[in-house]
Amino acid sequence: MPAIDVIGRQARLLSIWAEGPRLKEDTQARFGHVHVVALTSHDLFDGAFRVIARDGAALIQIQLRLQKTFRALPGMGDSVFQEAARHQAQLAMTQAEDAMVLEDDKERVRAVARHSL
């Protein structure tokens, strides 16, 4: 399932982000007149997972993979990174609760989510 592959790739990218800057501190900007708005961990988590969580809200496979990913990511990075992971876990859980029909599916996702919230 392509969405599950994307979740895995996003998790790998975010784990690199969690490690912190990779550039040497003495690195000079090559283009001094180019300015970019700084990205935050919340921005990255939102861009990486919000649409997948929404579009896959009723799909048990996607929700389980998301919650397992959110369970792993809070162990990395700084407190802002960890809070962003917990926030996305809660949003995905709320969407799953609203969209899933089978109570058994909801309970399976809840069981995994309990460890990530």
Side-chain angles (χ1 to χ4, degrees):
M1 179 172 272
I4 291 175
D5 182 50
V6 169
I7 293 166
R9 290 172 190 264
Q10 297 287 32
R12 283 190 293 282
L13 289 171
L14 284 167
S15 70
I16 293 168
W17 173 270
E19 293 173 8
R22 294 186 175 279
L23 297 176
K24 295 178 183 174
E25 290 185 27
D26 63 348
T27 302
Q28 295 293 318
R30 292 182 61 194
F31 304 100
H33 296 289
V34 176
H35 299 279
V36 219
V37 176
L39 291 172
T40 67
S41 293
H42 283 280
D43 294 334
L44 293 174
F45 271 87
D46 197 57
F49 300 115
R50 191 177 197 109
V51 172
I52 291 174
R54 181 198 66 207
D55 292 352
L59 301 173
I60 183 73
Q61 305 92 321
I62 291 174
Q63 291 304 319
L64 287 173
R65 183 57 56 104
L66 280 170
Q67 291 301 332
K68 288 176 183 178
T69 299
F70 296 139
R71 183 173 59 195
L73 290 171
M76 303 174 195
D78 60 14
S79 61
V80 175
F81 183 89
Q82 294 165 7
E83 156 52 31
R86 284 189 294 276
H87 178 71
Q88 284 300 314
Q90 183 59 53
L91 287 174
M93 189 66 238
T94 300
Q95 290 175 321
E97 290 276 357
D98 288 345
M100 289 184 164
V101 176
L102 295 177
E103 189 59 36
D104 184 63
D105 286 352
K106 290 180 186 182
E107 187 48 46
R108 287 179 64 198
V109 176
R110 284 183 203 120
V112 175
R114 279 193 272 286
H115 299 288
S116 59
L117 298 176

